[in-house]
Short mmCIF file of all heavy atoms in Angstrom, two decimals:
data_model
loop_
_atom_site.label_atom_id
_atom_site.label_comp_id
_atom_site.label_asym_id
_atom_site.label_seq_id
_atom_site.Cartn_x
_atom_site.Cartn_y
_atom_site.Cartn_z
N VAL A 1 -1.20 30.20 15.01
CA VAL A 1 -2.59 29.96 15.39
C VAL A 1 -3.15 28.96 14.39
O VAL A 1 -3.12 29.20 13.18
CB VAL A 1 -3.44 31.24 15.38
CG1 VAL A 1 -4.89 30.94 15.71
CG2 VAL A 1 -2.87 32.29 16.33
N ALA A 2 -3.62 27.83 14.87
CA ALA A 2 -4.20 26.81 14.01
C ALA A 2 -5.71 27.01 13.92
O ALA A 2 -6.36 27.31 14.92
CB ALA A 2 -3.91 25.42 14.56
N MET A 3 -6.23 26.87 12.73
CA MET A 3 -7.67 26.91 12.51
C MET A 3 -8.05 25.58 11.88
O MET A 3 -7.46 25.20 10.86
CB MET A 3 -8.06 28.06 11.59
CG MET A 3 -7.74 29.42 12.17
SD MET A 3 -8.19 30.74 11.04
CE MET A 3 -9.96 30.68 11.18
N GLY A 4 -8.99 24.90 12.46
CA GLY A 4 -9.37 23.60 11.93
C GLY A 4 -10.86 23.36 12.05
O GLY A 4 -11.58 24.11 12.70
N THR A 5 -11.29 22.30 11.42
CA THR A 5 -12.70 21.94 11.47
C THR A 5 -13.01 20.98 12.61
O THR A 5 -14.17 20.66 12.84
CB THR A 5 -13.13 21.30 10.13
OG1 THR A 5 -12.31 20.16 9.88
CG2 THR A 5 -12.99 22.30 8.98
N ASP A 6 -11.99 20.56 13.33
CA ASP A 6 -12.18 19.64 14.45
C ASP A 6 -12.93 20.34 15.59
O ASP A 6 -12.84 21.55 15.77
CB ASP A 6 -10.84 19.14 14.99
CG ASP A 6 -10.04 18.39 13.94
OD1 ASP A 6 -10.62 17.55 13.25
OD2 ASP A 6 -8.84 18.67 13.83
N SER A 7 -13.63 19.53 16.38
CA SER A 7 -14.32 20.06 17.55
C SER A 7 -13.32 20.34 18.67
O SER A 7 -12.20 19.82 18.66
CB SER A 7 -15.37 19.06 18.05
OG SER A 7 -14.72 17.94 18.63
N ALA A 8 -13.73 21.13 19.63
CA ALA A 8 -12.88 21.42 20.78
C ALA A 8 -12.52 20.14 21.52
O ALA A 8 -11.40 19.99 21.99
CB ALA A 8 -13.57 22.41 21.72
N GLU A 9 -13.46 19.20 21.60
CA GLU A 9 -13.20 17.93 22.28
C GLU A 9 -12.14 17.11 21.54
O GLU A 9 -11.27 16.51 22.16
CB GLU A 9 -14.50 17.12 22.40
CG GLU A 9 -15.53 17.74 23.30
CD GLU A 9 -16.34 18.87 22.64
OE1 GLU A 9 -16.37 18.96 21.39
OE2 GLU A 9 -16.92 19.67 23.38
N GLU A 10 -12.22 17.08 20.21
CA GLU A 10 -11.23 16.35 19.42
C GLU A 10 -9.84 16.96 19.59
O GLU A 10 -8.84 16.25 19.73
CB GLU A 10 -11.61 16.34 17.94
CG GLU A 10 -12.82 15.50 17.63
CD GLU A 10 -13.34 15.70 16.23
OE1 GLU A 10 -13.52 16.86 15.80
OE2 GLU A 10 -13.57 14.68 15.55
N ILE A 11 -9.79 18.28 19.60
CA ILE A 11 -8.51 18.98 19.78
C ILE A 11 -7.94 18.69 21.16
O ILE A 11 -6.77 18.37 21.31
CB ILE A 11 -8.68 20.49 19.55
CG1 ILE A 11 -9.03 20.75 18.08
CG2 ILE A 11 -7.41 21.25 19.96
CD1 ILE A 11 -9.53 22.15 17.82
N GLN A 12 -8.77 18.79 22.18
CA GLN A 12 -8.32 18.53 23.55
C GLN A 12 -7.82 17.10 23.69
O GLN A 12 -6.81 16.84 24.35
CB GLN A 12 -9.43 18.81 24.56
CG GLN A 12 -8.97 18.77 25.99
CD GLN A 12 -7.83 19.75 26.27
OE1 GLN A 12 -7.84 20.89 25.83
NE2 GLN A 12 -6.84 19.30 27.01
N SER A 13 -8.50 16.16 23.07
CA SER A 13 -8.08 14.77 23.11
C SER A 13 -6.69 14.61 22.48
O SER A 13 -5.84 13.91 23.03
CB SER A 13 -9.09 13.89 22.38
OG SER A 13 -8.63 12.56 22.31
N TYR A 14 -6.46 15.28 21.37
CA TYR A 14 -5.16 15.18 20.69
C TYR A 14 -4.06 15.82 21.54
O TYR A 14 -3.03 15.22 21.78
CB TYR A 14 -5.21 15.85 19.31
CG TYR A 14 -3.86 15.80 18.64
CD1 TYR A 14 -3.45 14.65 17.98
CD2 TYR A 14 -2.99 16.88 18.71
CE1 TYR A 14 -2.19 14.58 17.39
CE2 TYR A 14 -1.73 16.82 18.13
CZ TYR A 14 -1.34 15.67 17.47
OH TYR A 14 -0.09 15.61 16.91
N ILE A 15 -4.30 17.04 22.02
CA ILE A 15 -3.22 17.73 22.74
C ILE A 15 -2.98 17.15 24.13
O ILE A 15 -1.93 17.41 24.71
CB ILE A 15 -3.43 19.26 22.81
CG1 ILE A 15 -4.71 19.63 23.54
CG2 ILE A 15 -3.41 19.87 21.42
CD1 ILE A 15 -4.89 21.12 23.72
N SER A 16 -3.89 16.34 24.63
CA SER A 16 -3.61 15.68 25.91
C SER A 16 -2.49 14.66 25.75
O SER A 16 -1.81 14.33 26.73
CB SER A 16 -4.87 15.02 26.47
OG SER A 16 -5.27 13.93 25.68
N ASN A 17 -2.28 14.17 24.54
CA ASN A 17 -1.22 13.19 24.27
C ASN A 17 -0.04 13.76 23.49
O ASN A 17 0.98 13.10 23.36
CB ASN A 17 -1.79 12.00 23.50
CG ASN A 17 -2.81 11.24 24.30
OD1 ASN A 17 -2.58 10.92 25.45
ND2 ASN A 17 -3.96 10.99 23.71
N HIS A 18 -0.21 14.95 22.91
CA HIS A 18 0.84 15.57 22.08
C HIS A 18 0.95 17.04 22.47
O HIS A 18 0.00 17.79 22.29
CB HIS A 18 0.49 15.46 20.60
CG HIS A 18 0.27 14.06 20.14
ND1 HIS A 18 -0.96 13.43 20.23
CD2 HIS A 18 1.12 13.16 19.61
CE1 HIS A 18 -0.85 12.20 19.75
NE2 HIS A 18 0.40 12.01 19.38
N PRO A 19 2.09 17.47 22.97
CA PRO A 19 2.25 18.88 23.34
C PRO A 19 1.93 19.82 22.18
O PRO A 19 2.35 19.58 21.05
CB PRO A 19 3.72 18.98 23.74
CG PRO A 19 4.13 17.59 24.08
CD PRO A 19 3.31 16.69 23.19
N TRP A 20 1.19 20.85 22.46
CA TRP A 20 0.76 21.82 21.44
C TRP A 20 0.84 23.21 22.05
O TRP A 20 -0.10 23.66 22.70
CB TRP A 20 -0.68 21.50 21.01
CG TRP A 20 -1.23 22.40 19.97
CD1 TRP A 20 -1.93 23.56 20.17
CD2 TRP A 20 -1.14 22.24 18.57
NE1 TRP A 20 -2.28 24.12 18.99
CE2 TRP A 20 -1.81 23.32 17.98
CE3 TRP A 20 -0.56 21.29 17.75
CZ2 TRP A 20 -1.91 23.47 16.60
CZ3 TRP A 20 -0.67 21.44 16.39
CH2 TRP A 20 -1.33 22.52 15.83
N PRO A 21 1.94 23.92 21.87
CA PRO A 21 2.12 25.21 22.54
C PRO A 21 1.50 26.39 21.78
O PRO A 21 1.94 27.52 21.92
CB PRO A 21 3.65 25.34 22.58
CG PRO A 21 4.10 24.64 21.33
CD PRO A 21 3.14 23.49 21.16
N PHE A 22 0.49 26.14 20.96
CA PHE A 22 -0.11 27.18 20.14
C PHE A 22 -1.61 27.26 20.39
O PHE A 22 -2.22 26.32 20.88
CB PHE A 22 0.12 26.89 18.65
CG PHE A 22 1.54 26.55 18.31
CD1 PHE A 22 1.89 25.28 17.92
CD2 PHE A 22 2.53 27.52 18.38
CE1 PHE A 22 3.19 24.96 17.61
CE2 PHE A 22 3.84 27.21 18.06
CZ PHE A 22 4.17 25.92 17.68
N ASP A 23 -2.20 28.36 19.99
CA ASP A 23 -3.65 28.50 20.06
C ASP A 23 -4.28 27.73 18.91
O ASP A 23 -3.70 27.60 17.83
CB ASP A 23 -4.04 29.98 19.96
CG ASP A 23 -3.59 30.79 21.16
OD1 ASP A 23 -3.60 30.24 22.28
OD2 ASP A 23 -3.22 31.95 20.98
N HIS A 24 -5.47 27.23 19.15
CA HIS A 24 -6.18 26.49 18.12
C HIS A 24 -7.63 26.94 18.11
O HIS A 24 -8.29 26.94 19.15
CB HIS A 24 -6.12 24.98 18.38
CG HIS A 24 -6.51 24.17 17.20
ND1 HIS A 24 -5.62 23.41 16.50
CD2 HIS A 24 -7.69 24.03 16.57
CE1 HIS A 24 -6.22 22.83 15.50
NE2 HIS A 24 -7.50 23.18 15.53
N VAL A 25 -8.13 27.32 16.96
CA VAL A 25 -9.52 27.72 16.80
C VAL A 25 -10.28 26.48 16.34
O VAL A 25 -10.04 25.96 15.24
CB VAL A 25 -9.66 28.86 15.77
CG1 VAL A 25 -11.12 29.25 15.60
CG2 VAL A 25 -8.82 30.06 16.18
N ALA A 26 -11.18 26.00 17.18
CA ALA A 26 -11.97 24.80 16.86
C ALA A 26 -13.21 25.18 16.06
O ALA A 26 -13.63 26.35 16.05
CB ALA A 26 -12.38 24.11 18.16
N ASN A 27 -13.76 24.21 15.38
CA ASN A 27 -15.01 24.41 14.63
C ASN A 27 -14.93 25.63 13.72
O ASN A 27 -15.88 26.40 13.62
CB ASN A 27 -16.19 24.54 15.60
CG ASN A 27 -16.36 23.32 16.47
OD1 ASN A 27 -16.36 22.20 15.98
ND2 ASN A 27 -16.48 23.53 17.77
N ALA A 28 -13.81 25.79 13.04
CA ALA A 28 -13.59 26.98 12.21
C ALA A 28 -13.96 26.77 10.75
O ALA A 28 -13.54 27.53 9.88
CB ALA A 28 -12.13 27.42 12.32
N GLY A 29 -14.76 25.76 10.46
CA GLY A 29 -15.14 25.47 9.08
C GLY A 29 -15.76 26.65 8.37
O GLY A 29 -15.42 26.94 7.22
N GLU A 30 -16.66 27.37 9.01
CA GLU A 30 -17.31 28.51 8.37
C GLU A 30 -16.28 29.59 8.03
O GLU A 30 -16.30 30.16 6.94
CB GLU A 30 -18.40 29.09 9.26
CG GLU A 30 -19.11 30.25 8.59
CD GLU A 30 -20.28 30.79 9.40
OE1 GLU A 30 -20.75 30.11 10.33
OE2 GLU A 30 -20.70 31.90 9.09
N THR A 31 -15.38 29.85 8.96
CA THR A 31 -14.33 30.84 8.70
C THR A 31 -13.44 30.40 7.55
O THR A 31 -13.14 31.17 6.64
CB THR A 31 -13.47 31.06 9.97
OG1 THR A 31 -14.33 31.51 11.02
CG2 THR A 31 -12.38 32.09 9.73
N ILE A 32 -13.03 29.14 7.57
CA ILE A 32 -12.12 28.62 6.55
C ILE A 32 -12.77 28.64 5.17
O ILE A 32 -12.18 29.13 4.19
CB ILE A 32 -11.68 27.19 6.90
CG1 ILE A 32 -10.83 27.19 8.18
CG2 ILE A 32 -10.93 26.54 5.75
CD1 ILE A 32 -10.60 25.82 8.79
N PHE A 33 -14.00 28.14 5.08
CA PHE A 33 -14.63 27.95 3.78
C PHE A 33 -15.43 29.16 3.29
O PHE A 33 -15.48 29.43 2.10
CB PHE A 33 -15.52 26.71 3.79
CG PHE A 33 -14.76 25.46 4.13
CD1 PHE A 33 -15.06 24.73 5.26
CD2 PHE A 33 -13.72 25.02 3.32
CE1 PHE A 33 -14.35 23.58 5.58
CE2 PHE A 33 -13.00 23.87 3.62
CZ PHE A 33 -13.32 23.16 4.76
N THR A 34 -16.04 29.91 4.22
CA THR A 34 -16.90 31.02 3.81
C THR A 34 -16.15 32.35 3.79
O THR A 34 -16.19 33.08 2.81
CB THR A 34 -18.12 31.12 4.75
OG1 THR A 34 -18.78 29.86 4.75
CG2 THR A 34 -19.06 32.21 4.29
N ILE A 35 -15.44 32.66 4.85
CA ILE A 35 -14.76 33.95 4.93
C ILE A 35 -13.48 33.95 4.11
O ILE A 35 -13.26 34.81 3.28
CB ILE A 35 -14.50 34.34 6.39
CG1 ILE A 35 -15.84 34.54 7.11
CG2 ILE A 35 -13.62 35.59 6.48
CD1 ILE A 35 -15.74 34.77 8.59
#
């Protein structure tokens, strides 16, 4: 499971060109930095 600070739109744009068979949590900055 990937957690990143990218927006859902940025992630979708990337995976439309690169296969990504995993879950991705978008906009996870608060989780990454605070929690």
Side-chain angles (χ1 to χ4, degrees):
V1 177
M3 297 179 72
T5 58
D6 299 315
S7 70
E9 294 80 18
E10 290 169 311
I11 294 166
Q12 189 58 42
S13 175
Y14 178 81
I15 61 175
S16 68
N17 296 312
H18 303 87
W20 180 269
F22 311 110
D23 293 325
H24 195 111
V25 179
N27 301 311
E30 182 176 344
T31 301
I32 294 167
F33 301 118
T34 305
I35 295 173

